[in-house]
Amino acid sequence: MKSAVFLDRDGVINVDTGYPHRIDELEFIAGAPEAIARINASGRLAIVVTNQSGIARGLYEEADAHAFNTHIQDRLRAWNARIDGFYLCPYHPDAIIERYRQDHPDRKPGPGMIERAIRDFHIDRNGSFLVGDRQTDIQAAQAAGIPGYLFTGARLDAFITPLLSTS
Ligand SMILES: [Mg+2]
């Protein structure tokens, strides 16, 4: 069993420009590709767990969110870095699009996406942790029984490197 680093996407990997979804909106947070490469080198899985309520709000479609994720993965190759799994939650209780209108356990602060990844990848909670930029990310981690760390710094690699050696 491997442990994992769960990463929120917008505001942690890429700059949160407000529902970013077009690939030309992808701008990496400073040190994010380097941080992901270090996670890879640590032997942990790098798993993205992202609320994408812009889908429920009708701002863009699931296919756009998947294309954005694929673009992240493509761009990471320049750093020999890779994301092992992407999980996104398109649901929101006040969705404009009816099929996405539900209070889904995947939506953070719910732990649904983390729990699904743990099952899919047989992840060991010991040594696993989450990095997010909102309290709801931290709450999702706590609900899944893993530590959550609130990223407030400027460089993601500087933030994550000490966590990789101590947890
Ligand atoms: Mg975020």
Side-chain angles (χ1 to χ4, degrees), residues 93-140:
D94 302 324
I96 290 164
I97 314 289
E98 195 177 344
R99 69 179 179 280
Y100 297 121
R101 192 181 307 143
Q102 55 168 301
D103 199 357
H104 199 283
D106 272 10
R107 181 170 167 76
K108 295 175 286 185
M113 291 188 283
I114 299 170
E115 295 290 354
R116 282 202 286 131
I118 286 173
R119 283 196 301 275
D120 292 347
F121 289 89
H122 308 289
I123 289 166
D124 187 353
R125 284 171 219 258
N126 285 319
S128 295
F129 60 90
L130 174 143
V131 175
D133 69 330
R134 294 193 185 184
Q135 277 302 333
T136 46
D137 297 315
I138 309 310
Q139 289 163 359

Short mmCIF file of all heavy atoms in Angstrom, two decimals, residues 93-140:
data_model
loop_
_atom_site.label_atom_id
_atom_site.label_comp_id
_atom_site.label_asym_id
_atom_site.label_seq_id
_atom_site.Cartn_x
_atom_site.Cartn_y
_atom_site.Cartn_z
N PRO A 93 -25.66 21.89 -4.35
CA PRO A 93 -27.09 21.84 -3.95
C PRO A 93 -27.94 22.90 -4.64
O PRO A 93 -29.15 22.70 -4.80
CB PRO A 93 -27.06 22.05 -2.43
CG PRO A 93 -25.66 22.36 -2.06
CD PRO A 93 -24.77 21.99 -3.20
N ASP A 94 -27.35 24.01 -5.09
CA ASP A 94 -28.13 25.07 -5.75
C ASP A 94 -27.85 25.11 -7.25
O ASP A 94 -27.93 26.18 -7.87
CB ASP A 94 -27.79 26.44 -5.14
CG ASP A 94 -28.07 26.48 -3.66
OD1 ASP A 94 -29.06 25.86 -3.24
OD2 ASP A 94 -27.30 27.13 -2.92
N ALA A 95 -27.51 23.97 -7.83
CA ALA A 95 -27.13 23.94 -9.25
C ALA A 95 -28.23 24.49 -10.14
O ALA A 95 -29.42 24.29 -9.90
CB ALA A 95 -26.80 22.51 -9.67
N ILE A 96 -27.80 25.17 -11.19
CA ILE A 96 -28.73 25.60 -12.24
C ILE A 96 -29.08 24.40 -13.11
O ILE A 96 -30.22 24.23 -13.54
CB ILE A 96 -28.07 26.72 -13.08
CG1 ILE A 96 -27.96 28.00 -12.23
CG2 ILE A 96 -28.85 26.98 -14.37
CD1 ILE A 96 -26.99 29.02 -12.82
N ILE A 97 -28.08 23.55 -13.38
CA ILE A 97 -28.27 22.36 -14.20
C ILE A 97 -28.82 21.25 -13.29
O ILE A 97 -28.16 20.84 -12.33
CB ILE A 97 -26.93 21.90 -14.82
CG1 ILE A 97 -26.16 23.08 -15.44
CG2 ILE A 97 -27.16 20.77 -15.83
CD1 ILE A 97 -26.72 23.66 -16.69
N GLU A 98 -30.03 20.78 -13.63
CA GLU A 98 -30.75 19.91 -12.70
C GLU A 98 -30.00 18.62 -12.36
O GLU A 98 -30.03 18.18 -11.21
CB GLU A 98 -32.12 19.58 -13.29
CG GLU A 98 -33.06 19.01 -12.25
CD GLU A 98 -34.44 18.73 -12.80
OE1 GLU A 98 -34.78 19.25 -13.88
OE2 GLU A 98 -35.17 17.97 -12.13
N ARG A 99 -29.32 18.03 -13.34
CA ARG A 99 -28.69 16.74 -13.04
C ARG A 99 -27.52 16.87 -12.05
O ARG A 99 -27.06 15.88 -11.51
CB ARG A 99 -28.24 16.02 -14.31
CG ARG A 99 -27.09 16.65 -15.07
CD ARG A 99 -26.77 15.80 -16.30
NE ARG A 99 -25.69 16.35 -17.10
CZ ARG A 99 -25.83 17.34 -17.98
NH1 ARG A 99 -27.01 17.91 -18.16
NH2 ARG A 99 -24.80 17.79 -18.67
N TYR A 100 -27.05 18.07 -11.82
CA TYR A 100 -25.96 18.29 -10.86
C TYR A 100 -26.45 18.84 -9.53
O TYR A 100 -25.65 19.18 -8.68
CB TYR A 100 -24.93 19.26 -11.45
CG TYR A 100 -24.25 18.76 -12.70
CD1 TYR A 100 -24.34 19.46 -13.90
CD2 TYR A 100 -23.51 17.58 -12.68
CE1 TYR A 100 -23.71 19.01 -15.04
CE2 TYR A 100 -22.87 17.11 -13.82
CZ TYR A 100 -22.98 17.83 -15.00
OH TYR A 100 -22.35 17.39 -16.14
N ARG A 101 -27.82 18.94 -9.39
CA ARG A 101 -28.36 19.58 -8.19
C ARG A 101 -28.54 18.56 -7.09
O ARG A 101 -29.57 17.90 -6.97
CB ARG A 101 -29.69 20.27 -8.51
CG ARG A 101 -30.16 21.21 -7.38
CD ARG A 101 -31.49 21.86 -7.72
NE ARG A 101 -31.45 22.52 -9.02
CZ ARG A 101 -32.46 22.55 -9.89
NH1 ARG A 101 -33.61 21.97 -9.57
NH2 ARG A 101 -32.33 23.15 -11.06
N GLN A 102 -27.53 18.36 -6.29
CA GLN A 102 -27.65 17.51 -5.11
C GLN A 102 -26.53 17.83 -4.13
O GLN A 102 -25.49 18.37 -4.49
CB GLN A 102 -27.64 16.03 -5.48
CG GLN A 102 -26.45 15.57 -6.29
CD GLN A 102 -26.41 14.04 -6.36
OE1 GLN A 102 -26.34 13.36 -5.35
NE2 GLN A 102 -26.44 13.51 -7.57
N ASP A 103 -26.82 17.49 -2.88
CA ASP A 103 -25.84 17.68 -1.81
C ASP A 103 -25.02 16.40 -1.79
O ASP A 103 -25.31 15.48 -1.04
CB ASP A 103 -26.59 17.91 -0.49
CG ASP A 103 -25.71 18.56 0.55
OD1 ASP A 103 -24.52 18.79 0.27
OD2 ASP A 103 -26.22 18.82 1.64
N HIS A 104 -24.02 16.34 -2.64
CA HIS A 104 -23.29 15.09 -2.89
C HIS A 104 -22.15 14.91 -1.89
O HIS A 104 -21.46 15.88 -1.56
CB HIS A 104 -22.74 15.11 -4.32
CG HIS A 104 -22.39 13.76 -4.85
ND1 HIS A 104 -21.23 13.11 -4.48
CD2 HIS A 104 -23.04 12.94 -5.71
CE1 HIS A 104 -21.19 11.93 -5.10
NE2 HIS A 104 -22.27 11.81 -5.85
N PRO A 105 -21.95 13.69 -1.40
CA PRO A 105 -20.86 13.46 -0.44
C PRO A 105 -19.47 13.73 -1.01
O PRO A 105 -18.51 13.88 -0.26
CB PRO A 105 -21.01 11.98 -0.05
CG PRO A 105 -21.90 11.38 -1.08
CD PRO A 105 -22.76 12.48 -1.62
N ASP A 106 -19.36 13.78 -2.35
CA ASP A 106 -18.06 14.11 -2.96
C ASP A 106 -17.69 15.57 -2.75
O ASP A 106 -16.51 15.91 -2.76
CB ASP A 106 -18.10 13.85 -4.48
CG ASP A 106 -17.71 12.41 -4.82
OD1 ASP A 106 -17.60 11.59 -3.90
OD2 ASP A 106 -17.53 12.13 -6.02
N ARG A 107 -18.70 16.41 -2.62
CA ARG A 107 -18.39 17.84 -2.54
C ARG A 107 -17.74 18.17 -1.21
O ARG A 107 -18.31 17.97 -0.14
CB ARG A 107 -19.67 18.68 -2.74
CG ARG A 107 -19.40 20.17 -2.69
CD ARG A 107 -20.59 21.01 -3.13
NE ARG A 107 -20.37 22.41 -2.78
CZ ARG A 107 -19.55 23.25 -3.43
NH1 ARG A 107 -18.89 22.84 -4.49
NH2 ARG A 107 -19.39 24.48 -3.02
N LYS A 108 -16.50 18.68 -1.27
CA LYS A 108 -15.84 19.09 -0.04
C LYS A 108 -16.65 20.18 0.63
O LYS A 108 -17.15 21.05 -0.08
CB LYS A 108 -14.40 19.60 -0.35
CG LYS A 108 -13.48 18.52 -0.90
CD LYS A 108 -12.12 19.08 -1.30
CE LYS A 108 -12.18 19.88 -2.57
NZ LYS A 108 -10.86 20.35 -3.06
N PRO A 109 -16.88 20.18 1.93
CA PRO A 109 -16.11 19.47 2.95
C PRO A 109 -16.41 17.99 3.12
O PRO A 109 -15.87 17.38 4.05
CB PRO A 109 -16.47 20.23 4.24
CG PRO A 109 -17.87 20.71 3.99
CD PRO A 109 -17.91 21.06 2.51
N GLY A 110 -17.22 17.40 2.27
CA GLY A 110 -17.43 15.95 2.34
C GLY A 110 -16.16 15.22 1.93
O GLY A 110 -15.37 15.73 1.13
N PRO A 111 -15.96 14.01 2.47
CA PRO A 111 -14.73 13.27 2.16
C PRO A 111 -14.86 12.32 0.96
O PRO A 111 -13.97 11.52 0.71
CB PRO A 111 -14.52 12.46 3.44
CG PRO A 111 -15.92 12.14 3.90
CD PRO A 111 -16.76 13.36 3.51
N GLY A 112 -15.96 12.42 0.20
CA GLY A 112 -16.27 11.41 -0.82
C GLY A 112 -15.17 11.15 -1.83
O GLY A 112 -14.86 10.00 -2.15
N MET A 113 -14.57 12.21 -2.36
CA MET A 113 -13.53 12.01 -3.38
C MET A 113 -12.30 11.36 -2.78
O MET A 113 -11.68 10.48 -3.41
CB MET A 113 -13.15 13.36 -4.02
CG MET A 113 -14.25 13.93 -4.89
SD MET A 113 -13.74 15.39 -5.84
CE MET A 113 -13.77 16.66 -4.56
N ILE A 114 -11.94 11.77 -1.56
CA ILE A 114 -10.78 11.17 -0.90
C ILE A 114 -11.04 9.69 -0.65
O ILE A 114 -10.18 8.84 -0.91
CB ILE A 114 -10.47 11.91 0.43
CG1 ILE A 114 -10.15 13.38 0.15
CG2 ILE A 114 -9.33 11.23 1.18
CD1 ILE A 114 -10.07 14.24 1.42
N GLU A 115 -12.23 9.39 -0.16
CA GLU A 115 -12.57 7.99 0.13
C GLU A 115 -12.57 7.14 -1.13
O GLU A 115 -12.13 5.99 -1.12
CB GLU A 115 -13.94 7.91 0.83
CG GLU A 115 -13.98 8.55 2.22
CD GLU A 115 -13.19 7.78 3.28
OE1 GLU A 115 -12.69 6.66 2.98
OE2 GLU A 115 -13.06 8.30 4.40
N ARG A 116 -13.07 7.70 -2.23
CA ARG A 116 -13.07 6.94 -3.49
C ARG A 116 -11.65 6.65 -3.95
O ARG A 116 -11.33 5.55 -4.39
CB ARG A 116 -13.82 7.71 -4.59
CG ARG A 116 -15.33 7.62 -4.45
CD ARG A 116 -16.02 7.90 -5.78
NE ARG A 116 -15.97 9.31 -6.14
CZ ARG A 116 -15.59 9.76 -7.32
NH1 ARG A 116 -15.21 8.93 -8.28
NH2 ARG A 116 -15.60 11.05 -7.56
N ALA A 117 -10.79 7.66 -3.85
CA ALA A 117 -9.39 7.46 -4.25
C ALA A 117 -8.72 6.40 -3.37
O ALA A 117 -7.95 5.56 -3.87
CB ALA A 117 -8.63 8.77 -4.18
N ILE A 118 -9.00 6.45 -2.07
CA ILE A 118 -8.42 5.47 -1.15
C ILE A 118 -8.81 4.06 -1.58
O ILE A 118 -7.98 3.15 -1.58
CB ILE A 118 -8.84 5.79 0.30
CG1 ILE A 118 -8.06 7.01 0.81
CG2 ILE A 118 -8.63 4.58 1.22
CD1 ILE A 118 -8.51 7.55 2.16
N ARG A 119 -10.07 3.89 -1.97
CA ARG A 119 -10.51 2.57 -2.46
C ARG A 119 -9.87 2.23 -3.80
O ARG A 119 -9.36 1.13 -3.99
CB ARG A 119 -12.04 2.55 -2.60
CG ARG A 119 -12.79 2.40 -1.29
CD ARG A 119 -14.25 2.00 -1.52
NE ARG A 119 -14.98 2.97 -2.33
CZ ARG A 119 -15.58 4.07 -1.82
NH1 ARG A 119 -15.52 4.32 -0.54
NH2 ARG A 119 -16.24 4.89 -2.62
N ASP A 120 -9.91 3.18 -4.74
CA ASP A 120 -9.43 2.90 -6.10
C ASP A 120 -7.94 2.54 -6.12
O ASP A 120 -7.52 1.68 -6.89
CB ASP A 120 -9.64 4.11 -7.01
CG ASP A 120 -11.12 4.39 -7.29
OD1 ASP A 120 -11.96 3.52 -6.98
OD2 ASP A 120 -11.42 5.49 -7.80
N PHE A 121 -7.14 3.25 -5.31
CA PHE A 121 -5.69 3.08 -5.35
C PHE A 121 -5.15 2.29 -4.16
O PHE A 121 -3.94 2.15 -4.01
CB PHE A 121 -4.99 4.45 -5.38
CG PHE A 121 -5.14 5.19 -6.68
CD1 PHE A 121 -6.22 6.04 -6.91
CD2 PHE A 121 -4.19 5.05 -7.69
CE1 PHE A 121 -6.36 6.73 -8.11
CE2 PHE A 121 -4.32 5.74 -8.89
CZ PHE A 121 -5.41 6.58 -9.10
N HIS A 122 -6.05 1.79 -3.29
CA HIS A 122 -5.63 1.06 -2.08
C HIS A 122 -4.63 1.89 -1.28
O HIS A 122 -3.53 1.43 -0.96
CB HIS A 122 -5.06 -0.31 -2.43
CG HIS A 122 -5.96 -1.11 -3.31
ND1 HIS A 122 -7.15 -1.66 -2.85
CD2 HIS A 122 -5.90 -1.42 -4.63
CE1 HIS A 122 -7.75 -2.28 -3.86
NE2 HIS A 122 -7.02 -2.15 -4.94
N ILE A 123 -5.02 3.13 -1.02
CA ILE A 123 -4.12 4.09 -0.35
C ILE A 123 -4.11 3.84 1.15
O ILE A 123 -5.15 3.60 1.77
CB ILE A 123 -4.57 5.53 -0.67
CG1 ILE A 123 -4.26 5.86 -2.15
CG2 ILE A 123 -3.90 6.55 0.27
CD1 ILE A 123 -4.95 7.12 -2.66
N ASP A 124 -2.89 3.91 1.70
CA ASP A 124 -2.70 3.83 3.15
C ASP A 124 -2.90 5.23 3.75
O ASP A 124 -2.20 6.17 3.36
CB ASP A 124 -1.27 3.33 3.42
CG ASP A 124 -1.02 3.04 4.89
OD1 ASP A 124 -1.91 3.34 5.73
OD2 ASP A 124 0.05 2.50 5.19
N ARG A 125 -3.85 5.35 4.67
CA ARG A 125 -4.06 6.67 5.29
C ARG A 125 -2.84 7.12 6.09
O ARG A 125 -2.59 8.32 6.22
CB ARG A 125 -5.29 6.63 6.22
CG ARG A 125 -6.62 6.64 5.47
CD ARG A 125 -7.79 6.36 6.42
NE ARG A 125 -8.75 5.51 5.75
CZ ARG A 125 -9.90 5.93 5.21
NH1 ARG A 125 -10.27 7.19 5.32
NH2 ARG A 125 -10.69 5.08 4.58
N ASN A 126 -2.10 6.15 6.63
CA ASN A 126 -0.87 6.50 7.36
C ASN A 126 0.14 7.09 6.38
O ASN A 126 0.45 6.47 5.37
CB ASN A 126 -0.26 5.26 8.01
CG ASN A 126 -1.03 4.83 9.23
OD1 ASN A 126 -1.45 5.68 10.03
ND2 ASN A 126 -1.24 3.54 9.37
N GLY A 127 0.63 8.28 6.70
CA GLY A 127 1.58 8.94 5.81
C GLY A 127 0.92 9.76 4.72
O GLY A 127 1.60 10.43 3.97
N SER A 128 -0.42 9.67 4.63
CA SER A 128 -1.14 10.47 3.65
C SER A 128 -1.57 11.78 4.28
O SER A 128 -1.81 11.87 5.48
CB SER A 128 -2.37 9.72 3.15
OG SER A 128 -2.01 8.55 2.43
N PHE A 129 -1.69 12.80 3.44
CA PHE A 129 -2.21 14.08 3.91
C PHE A 129 -2.77 14.86 2.73
O PHE A 129 -2.60 14.46 1.58
CB PHE A 129 -1.13 14.88 4.66
CG PHE A 129 0.09 15.23 3.85
CD1 PHE A 129 0.16 16.41 3.12
CD2 PHE A 129 1.20 14.38 3.84
CE1 PHE A 129 1.29 16.74 2.38
CE2 PHE A 129 2.34 14.70 3.10
CZ PHE A 129 2.39 15.89 2.37
N LEU A 130 -3.45 15.96 3.05
CA LEU A 130 -4.05 16.81 2.03
C LEU A 130 -3.51 18.23 2.15
O LEU A 130 -3.25 18.70 3.26
CB LEU A 130 -5.57 16.82 2.18
CG LEU A 130 -6.37 17.77 1.27
CD1 LEU A 130 -7.69 17.12 0.85
CD2 LEU A 130 -6.64 19.12 1.94
N VAL A 131 -3.36 18.88 1.01
CA VAL A 131 -3.02 20.30 0.99
C VAL A 131 -4.12 21.03 0.23
O VAL A 131 -4.43 20.68 -0.92
CB VAL A 131 -1.65 20.55 0.34
CG1 VAL A 131 -1.37 22.05 0.22
CG2 VAL A 131 -0.54 19.87 1.15
N GLY A 132 -4.72 22.02 0.88
CA GLY A 132 -5.77 22.82 0.25
C GLY A 132 -5.63 24.27 0.62
O GLY A 132 -4.80 24.63 1.47
N ASP A 133 -6.42 25.12 -0.02
CA ASP A 133 -6.33 26.55 0.29
C ASP A 133 -7.59 27.09 0.96
O ASP A 133 -7.74 28.30 1.11
CB ASP A 133 -6.00 27.36 -0.98
CG ASP A 133 -7.13 27.39 -1.98
OD1 ASP A 133 -7.91 26.42 -2.04
OD2 ASP A 133 -7.25 28.40 -2.72
N ARG A 134 -8.52 26.17 1.32
CA ARG A 134 -9.74 26.60 2.01
C ARG A 134 -10.01 25.69 3.19
O ARG A 134 -9.62 24.52 3.18
CB ARG A 134 -10.95 26.55 1.06
CG ARG A 134 -10.83 27.55 -0.06
CD ARG A 134 -12.14 27.70 -0.79
NE ARG A 134 -11.98 28.58 -1.94
CZ ARG A 134 -12.95 28.98 -2.75
NH1 ARG A 134 -14.19 28.56 -2.52
NH2 ARG A 134 -12.71 29.76 -3.76
N GLN A 135 -10.76 26.22 4.14
CA GLN A 135 -11.12 25.41 5.31
C GLN A 135 -11.91 24.18 4.91
O GLN A 135 -11.81 23.13 5.54
CB GLN A 135 -11.93 26.25 6.32
CG GLN A 135 -11.05 27.10 7.24
CD GLN A 135 -10.04 26.29 8.05
OE1 GLN A 135 -10.25 25.11 8.34
NE2 GLN A 135 -8.93 26.91 8.38
N THR A 136 -12.72 24.28 3.84
CA THR A 136 -13.51 23.12 3.42
C THR A 136 -12.60 21.97 2.96
O THR A 136 -12.96 20.80 3.11
CB THR A 136 -14.48 23.49 2.29
OG1 THR A 136 -13.79 24.27 1.31
CG2 THR A 136 -15.66 24.29 2.83
N ASP A 137 -11.42 22.30 2.42
CA ASP A 137 -10.46 21.26 2.05
C ASP A 137 -9.96 20.54 3.31
O ASP A 137 -9.88 19.30 3.34
CB ASP A 137 -9.25 21.87 1.32
CG ASP A 137 -9.62 22.53 0.02
OD1 ASP A 137 -10.39 21.93 -0.76
OD2 ASP A 137 -9.12 23.65 -0.25
N ILE A 138 -9.66 21.35 4.32
CA ILE A 138 -9.13 20.79 5.57
C ILE A 138 -10.19 19.92 6.24
O ILE A 138 -9.91 18.84 6.77
CB ILE A 138 -8.68 21.92 6.52
CG1 ILE A 138 -7.74 22.90 5.80
CG2 ILE A 138 -8.04 21.36 7.78
CD1 ILE A 138 -6.59 22.27 5.05
N GLN A 139 -11.44 20.39 6.20
CA GLN A 139 -12.54 19.62 6.79
C GLN A 139 -12.73 18.29 6.08
O GLN A 139 -13.02 17.27 6.71
CB GLN A 139 -13.83 20.44 6.74
CG GLN A 139 -13.83 21.62 7.70
CD GLN A 139 -14.91 22.66 7.37
OE1 GLN A 139 -15.66 22.52 6.41
NE2 GLN A 139 -14.96 23.72 8.16
N ALA A 140 -12.56 18.28 4.76
CA ALA A 140 -12.68 17.04 3.99
C ALA A 140 -11.60 16.05 4.42
O ALA A 140 -11.86 14.85 4.58
CB ALA A 140 -12.60 17.31 2.49
#
